[in-house]
Amino acid sequence: ALLTPYIGAGFTSSRGRLGHGTAERTDNATRAIAYAGLRLNLLLPKIVVEVEKGEIVQGAVRIGFGL
């Protein structure tokens, strides 16, 4: 078993457009994010637990299989 902690930070950017012509609306946003997690490699299954902080705090648990 191998346990790997990780941490990072960055930015997300999005652009949106709705409609066209004189009724067109646009929106642009750039937001900072930070995240941290643990990856556990157990030969076949890989388990990741991660927490991300942007405008809200959210968590995720992922399980993958592979060599």
Side-chain angles (χ1 to χ4, degrees):
L2 179 64
L3 185 64
T4 308
Y6 62 91
I7 188 168
F11 293 93
T12 61
S13 180
S14 64
R15 293 188 313 188
R17 185 176 73 193
L18 177 65
H20 61 308
T22 58
E24 183 175 272
R25 303 278 186 206
T26 61
D27 184 31
N28 298 319
T30 300
R31 295 182 175 90
I33 61 165
Y35 55 90
L38 291 171
R39 178 176 294 124
L40 178 61
N41 291 326
L42 299 170
L43 191 57
L44 234 48
K46 278 96 173 121
I47 302 168
V48 177
V49 178
E50 183 175 276
V51 175
E52 181 179 302
K53 168 74 171 90
E55 285 188 8
I56 60 171
V57 177
Q58 56 187 355
V61 175
R62 295 187 293 274
I63 299 173
F65 296 93
L67 298 175

